[in-house]
Amino acid sequence: MTASGGNTSAVGAYPDGVSSYGAYDMAGNCFEWTSSIITATNGGEAGQQVNAVRGGSWYATGRSCATSYRGEGRDGSGGYLTVGIRVAADQS
């Protein structure tokens, strides 16, 4: 939790939002750090090559809380309260 409030939710806290593939929490809990490299245009990383983030977070606007949203990106060596990773595996 930060001084301004907010936090992530437990995995599966919103079962009505499960995808047709059975994936939970695809948007809105924390940005997903990706392997896609982009050039940042805002903030402390402006002009730097950074990893794109997707999916919005608890601290983001409604526009960014969509699986299609491609965020500003973050430097992989940083620590961010609103950015995480998704680990997925095929059950077969």
Side-chain angles (χ1 to χ4, degrees):
M1 183 168 243
T2 67
S4 60
N7 209 341
T8 57
S9 299
V11 172
Y14 300 97
D16 291 341
V18 67
S19 76
S20 57
Y21 296 101
Y24 286 83
D25 311 315
M26 293 297 292
N29 205 18
C30 69
F31 284 107
E32 292 180 18
W33 189 78
T34 72
S35 60
S36 301
I37 303 297
I38 63 171
T39 301
T41 57
N42 295 311
E45 286 107 352
Q48 297 178 31
Q49 295 289 289
V50 295
N51 293 80
V53 295
R54 293 188 177 271
S57 78
W58 57 267
Y59 192 67
T61 65
R63 181 180 78 83
S64 66
C65 291
T67 55
S68 59
Y69 177 77
R70 185 175 180 165
E72 175 62 30
R74 296 292 180 254
D75 179 15
S77 66
Y80 308 96
L81 296 175
T82 59
V83 179
I85 61 169
R86 177 175 297 273
V87 178
D90 189 345
Q91 292 183 336
S92 58

